[in-house]
């Protein structure tokens, strides 16, 4: 089987080699020009058919005709197979040749374009360099022209400003000549100064005229007049200044009247317009002060009386620190609410609201709060102390502490609402300055008054106990009284409690550490003196009681001995008498 297969393979190889040996040639040139498949096929077959035809003629004599056709077919098939392989090879070759040609053409074209591009870039770079040079020269020229134009513009602006100043000066001189008439003569003024729709312009011009005239008068007053013309000019400007002052006063009063009318109608726009114009007169100080002074809480007596009733209660009622604290809290809340509402109006009306708020808050503290504090805090005399039944100095100190603390809270709230540049804390401190200056003396006097009152109370209690024990023996009553005069820890604890309260007030009133240390030392010294005096007096009383008890004991012992001797003598007399009677019987 294997041998037969090898033989078949050898026959095929021999046939292939025989076919390959045939003169079959395919060239790429055959496919160029007017290509025809029939022509190509004919050329391939016609080149081989004559040899096959000759072989057929030679072999026709020896073989039969039916054996020639298969041999030709096999030769043609081998030819066609070889032609197919050559066609495939030619196709790949043509493809490679085509690609190489295209690549070569592309490289050549790219090289040409690159050369052109480089040449163009070189030309462009030269052109750009030239443009940059041109732009640099142009920028330099523009800068030079700009500087020149700026200088010209500055000169023109300066010239225009001078022209405008000169024009305004001419106008001001014309208006000044109108005021430079007879003193008090304001009837011949221009329509500008009487037109209500041009009040702002009139106010501005009037202020400028006043400044100009006053400066000129100042210069004339400094320089010694040497000619008559200067003296005449000076007198003329003085007349103009007087007339301008009268006009400004009249205009300011007219604007204030309009401002008040708009305020009553709550026309904020009109109020703002008037306030803006009035700001040209003394920076609007008169308008600000006028607005604050016309607030109801400063001019309504009922408001002030209501403040007094709220804090101090009805006339004749007993005032206590707790009631005063509640009243001050309510009153100060009402003041804060009122100031906050006024602040909203001030912000919408005045061009300088911070200045108005400073005036308003200052007026609140100096008038409304001060008026109330003057009624609440009446400084007591250190010579004739108020009796303890009316509260003594302690009531004043407690009232002072409550008022100071609540007013400090009011100051912080006012600062939060807004008070401009006003030092509201410093102003609040100044309200209590007279009280704080004498506070240490009042505190020490109060502690002394409390101590003496306590001692009087204890002596009164001891006296009542002594009087209640009158039916008992004298010695027994004295012993009971002395037992109630012993040193008590409860009393010393009360001294300490007074001292703690005083220290808390020292901390409240003393803002500086040195002042606080001095006041605390004085208060603590009072405590030590009171405790020392109380213990010393208690020890003295105890010593006196012991001495009295010892004397009473000695007296009692002597009376007992005498009584015993008298009883023995009586007994002896009785016995003797009995014996006599017995013997008599």
């Amino acid at each position: 089987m294997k041998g037969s297969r090898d033989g078949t393979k050898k026959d095929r190889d021999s046939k292939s080699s025989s076919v390959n040996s045939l003169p079959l040639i395919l060239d790429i040139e055959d496919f160029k020009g007017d290509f025809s498949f029939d022509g190509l096929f004919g050329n391939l077959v016609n080149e081989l058919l004559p040899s096959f035809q000759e072989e057929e003629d030679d072999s026709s004599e020896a073989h039969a005709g039916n054996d020639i056709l298969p041999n030709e077919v096999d030769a043609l098939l081998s030819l066609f197979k070889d032609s197919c392989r050559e066609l495939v090879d030619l196709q790949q070759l043509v493809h490679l040749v085509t690609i190489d040609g295209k690549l070569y053409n592309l490289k050549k074209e790219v090289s040409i374009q690159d050369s052109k591009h480089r040449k163009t870039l070189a030309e462009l770079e030269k052109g750009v360099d030239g443009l940059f040079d041109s732009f640099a020269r142009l920028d330099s020229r523009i800068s030079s022209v700009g500087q020149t134009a700026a200088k010209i513009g500055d000169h023109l602006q300066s010239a225009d400003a001078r022209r405008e100043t000169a024009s305004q000066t001419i106008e001001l001189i014309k208006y000044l000549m109108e005021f430079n008439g007879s003193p008090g003569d304001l009837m011949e003024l221009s329509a500008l100064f009487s037109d209500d729709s041009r009040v702002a312009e009139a106010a501005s011009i009037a202020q400028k005229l006043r400044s100009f005239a006053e400066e000129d008068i100042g210069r004339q007053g400094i320089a010694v007049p040497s000619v008559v013309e200067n003296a005449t000019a000076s007198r003329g400007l003085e007349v103009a200044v007087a007339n301008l002052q009268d006009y400004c006063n009249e205009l300011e009063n007219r604007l204030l009247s309009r401002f008040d009318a708009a305020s009553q109608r709550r026309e904020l726009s009109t109020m703002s317009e008037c306030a803006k114009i009035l700001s040209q007169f003394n920076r609007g100080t008169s308008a600000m002060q006028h607005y604050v002074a016309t607030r109801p809480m400063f001019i309504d007596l009922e408001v002030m009386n209501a403040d007094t009733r709220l804090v101090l209660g009805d006339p004749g009622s007993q005032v206590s620190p707790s009631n005063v604290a509640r009243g001050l809290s309510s009153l100060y809340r009402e003041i804060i609410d009122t100031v906050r509402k006024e602040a909203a109006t001030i912000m919408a009306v005045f061009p300088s609201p911070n200045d108005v708020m400073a005036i308003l808050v200052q007026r609140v503290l100096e008038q409304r709060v001060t008026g109330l504090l003057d009624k609440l805090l009446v400084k007591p005399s250190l010579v004739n102390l108020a009796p303890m039944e009316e509260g003594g100095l302690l009531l004043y100190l407690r009232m002072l502490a409550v008022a100071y603390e609540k007013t400090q809270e009011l100051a912080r709230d006012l600062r939060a609402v807004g008070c401009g540049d006003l030092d509201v804390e410093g102003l609040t401190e100044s309200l209590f300055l007279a009280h704080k200056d004498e506070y240490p003396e009042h505190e020490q006097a109060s502690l002394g008054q409390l101590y003496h009152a306590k001692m009087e109370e204890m002596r009164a209690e001891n006296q009542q106990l002594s009087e209640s024990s009158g039916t008992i023996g004298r010695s027994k009553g004295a012993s009971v009284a002395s037992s109630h005069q012993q040193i008590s820890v409860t009393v010393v604890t009360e001294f300490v409690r007074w001292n703690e309260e005083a220290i808390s007030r020292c901390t409240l009133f003393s803002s500086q550490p040195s002042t606080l240390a001095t006041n605390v030392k004085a208060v603590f010294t009072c405590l030590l003196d009171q405790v020392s005096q109380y213990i010393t007096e208690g020890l003295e009383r105890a010593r006196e009681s012991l001495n009295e008890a010892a004397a009473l004991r000695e007296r009692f012992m002597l009376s007992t001995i005498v009584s015993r001797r008298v009883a023995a003598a009586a007994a002896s007399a009785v016995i003797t008498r009995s014996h006599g009677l017995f013997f008599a019987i």
Side-chain angles (χ1 to χ4, degrees):
M1 188 76 176
K2 183 176 180 181
S4 63
R5 190 177 299 170
D6 294 338
T8 305
K9 185 176 180 182
K10 290 179 180 180
D11 294 338
R12 290 179 180 175
D13 293 339
S14 62
K15 290 181 180 181
S16 178
S17 61
S18 63
V19 174
N20 288 336
S21 62
L22 294 177
L24 180 61
I25 299 173
L26 290 178
D27 191 3
I28 194 171
E29 297 296 332
D30 297 336
F31 298 92
K32 293 182 179 181
D34 296 333
F35 172 75
S36 173
F37 178 76
D38 293 336
L40 177 62
F41 183 78
N43 291 333
L44 291 175
V45 176
N46 290 333
E47 290 178 359
L48 298 175
L49 282 179
S51 60
F52 284 104
Q53 187 65 37
E54 293 175 357
E55 291 177 358
E56 182 180 358
D57 293 338
D58 294 338
S59 59
S60 61
E61 298 176 356
H63 299 284
N66 55 356
D67 294 331
I68 297 173
L69 185 57
N71 293 331
E72 293 175 354
V73 170
D74 291 338
L76 288 173
L77 288 174
S78 298
L79 176 64
F80 291 153
K81 288 179 181 181
D82 293 338
S83 298
C84 286
R85 282 193 297 270
E86 290 185 9
L87 285 174
V88 172
D89 294 338
L90 286 175
Q91 183 181 5
Q92 295 177 354
L93 179 61
V94 169
H95 183 66
L96 292 174
V97 170
T98 303
I99 292 175
D100 291 339
K102 290 181 179 180
L103 288 175
Y104 176 76
N105 293 333
L106 287 175
K107 287 180 180 180
K108 186 177 181 180
E109 185 177 357
V110 168
S111 177
I112 294 171
Q113 294 296 329
D114 182 66
S115 177
K116 292 180 180 180
H117 181 66
R118 290 178 183 277
K119 184 177 180 180
T120 304
L121 286 178
E123 294 175 355
L124 288 176
E125 287 179 356
K126 293 179 181 179
V128 169
D129 292 339
L131 286 176
F132 275 123
D133 294 338
S134 300
F135 280 130
R137 291 191 299 271
L138 180 62
D139 184 68
S140 178
R141 287 295 303 276
I142 290 174
S143 299
S144 177
V145 171
Q147 292 176 359
T148 304
K151 292 179 181 179
I152 294 173
D154 292 338
H155 289 301
L156 290 175
Q157 187 176 4
S158 177
D160 183 70
R162 292 178 181 178
R163 183 192 62 78
E164 184 67 22
T165 302
S167 177
Q168 293 179 0
T169 303
I170 293 173
E171 292 293 329
L172 290 177
I173 291 174
K174 291 180 180 178
Y175 290 133
L176 186 61
M177 292 175 63
E178 296 180 8
F179 284 97
N180 195 20
S182 301
D185 185 10
L186 303 178
M187 302 300 296
E188 300 298 329
L189 298 178
S190 300
L192 168 66
F193 299 101
S194 58
D195 189 356
D196 290 339
S197 62
R198 303 175 66 185
V199 174
E201 184 180 357
S204 176
I205 292 176
Q207 289 299 317
K208 291 179 180 179
L209 292 176
R210 281 183 60 187
S211 300
F212 175 77
E214 289 174 356
E215 289 177 1
D216 186 77
I217 290 177
R219 289 193 298 269
Q220 292 292 337
I222 294 174
V224 179
S226 58
V227 293
V228 179
E229 289 78 8
N230 288 341
T232 305
S234 178
R235 286 196 298 272
L237 290 179
E238 289 177 355
V239 172
V241 169
N243 289 336
L244 283 169
Q245 183 64 47
D246 293 339
Y247 174 76
C248 290
N249 292 336
E250 186 270 335
L251 180 61
E252 187 174 4
N253 293 331
R254 191 169 59 185
L255 288 171
L256 288 175
S257 300
R258 184 186 300 181
F259 183 87
D260 288 338
S263 177
Q264 294 177 359
R265 297 190 300 268
R266 298 294 298 172
E267 295 178 357
L268 299 182
S269 59
T270 305
M271 293 172 63
S272 176
E273 180 182 356
C274 294
K276 188 178 297 183
I277 299 173
L278 286 169
S279 64
Q280 301 180 28
F281 299 95
N282 297 326
R283 295 185 301 178
T285 303
S286 60
M288 300 176 191
Q289 294 177 347
H290 179 77
Y291 175 79
V292 173
T294 56
R295 296 307 88 201
M297 61 178 171
F298 301 130
I299 60 177
D300 193 351
L301 293 177
E302 183 60 29
V303 174
M304 303 177 186
N305 295 332
D307 294 346
T308 304
R309 289 194 301 270
L310 180 61
V311 177
L312 300 179
D314 296 329
S317 61
Q318 185 65 29
V319 180
S320 64
S322 58
N323 293 336
V324 170
R326 287 193 293 270
L328 285 176
S329 297
S330 301
L331 174 61
Y332 288 165
R333 280 197 300 270
E334 178 185 348
I335 290 176
I336 290 298
D337 293 339
T338 304
V339 172
R340 187 176 287 111
K341 293 178 182 178
E342 292 293 341
T345 303
I346 290 171
M347 292 294 178
V349 170
F350 289 93
S352 301
N354 290 334
D355 296 338
V356 186
M357 288 300 298
I359 297 174
L360 176 64
V361 172
Q362 183 177 0
R363 188 69 177 268
V364 167
L365 292 175
E366 291 181 349
Q367 178 175 335
R368 193 170 181 182
V369 175
T370 302
L372 179 63
L373 293 179
D374 290 341
K375 297 177 182 178
L376 176 63
L377 302 175
V378 180
K379 189 185 299 184
S381 173
L382 293 175
V383 179
N384 297 321
L385 301 180
M388 290 299 299
E389 292 77 9
E390 298 178 2
L393 286 176
L394 182 61
L395 178 61
Y396 163 74
L397 292 173
R398 287 176 175 175
M399 292 291 188
L400 179 60
V402 168
Y404 183 80
E405 186 175 5
K406 295 298 181 181
T407 307
Q408 289 291 331
E409 294 177 1
L410 172 65
R412 289 191 291 270
D413 293 339
L414 289 174
R415 170 63 67 186
V417 173
C419 55
D421 297 331
L422 179 66
D423 183 11
V424 63
E425 289 81 6
L427 182 58
T428 304
E429 287 289 334
S430 67
L431 301 181
F432 295 89
L433 188 60
H435 298 278
K436 291 175 65 176
D437 288 342
E438 299 181 6
Y439 161 71
E441 291 79 7
H442 284 94
E443 192 69 71
Q444 296 177 47
S446 174
L447 291 173
Q449 186 181 28
L450 289 172
Y451 176 79
H452 291 301
K454 186 64 177 178
M455 295 299 102
E456 290 293 335
E457 179 184 353
M458 293 177 64
R459 280 194 288 269
E461 292 178 356
N462 294 332
Q463 185 66 28
Q464 291 179 359
L465 292 174
S466 298
E467 293 175 356
S468 64
S469 60
T471 57
I472 308 175
R474 185 176 179 182
S475 60
K476 187 175 181 181
S479 64
V480 172
S482 63
S483 65
H484 286 276
Q485 293 181 359
Q486 296 177 358
I487 298 174
S488 174
V489 178
T490 304
V491 176
V492 177
T493 304
E494 191 170 0
F495 295 164
V496 175
R497 183 175 57 80
W498 297 341
N499 189 266
E500 289 177 351
E501 184 179 351
I503 292 295
S504 65
R505 285 192 290 268
C506 287
T507 306
L508 179 64
F509 294 133
S510 304
S511 57
Q512 299 296 328
S514 58
T515 306
L516 176 62
T518 303
N519 294 338
V520 170
K521 179 182 178 181
V523 171
F524 191 66
T525 302
C526 288
L527 173 64
L528 295 180
D529 293 341
Q530 291 174 359
V531 173
S532 175
Q533 185 177 355
Y534 174 68
I535 293 176
T536 302
E537 292 178 356
L539 292 175
E540 289 291 335
R541 288 194 304 270
R543 186 176 62 82
E544 292 175 358
S545 298
L546 290 175
N547 292 335
E548 185 178 356
L552 290 175
R553 183 176 181 278
E554 291 178 359
R555 193 180 304 118
F556 177 75
M557 292 297 293
L558 291 175
S559 63
T560 302
I561 293 172
V562 172
S563 297
R564 287 178 180 177
R565 289 178 180 177
V566 172
S572 177
V574 171
I575 293 172
T576 303
R577 186 178 179 183
S578 297
H579 286 173
L581 290 175
F582 176 74
F583 288 120
I585 293 170

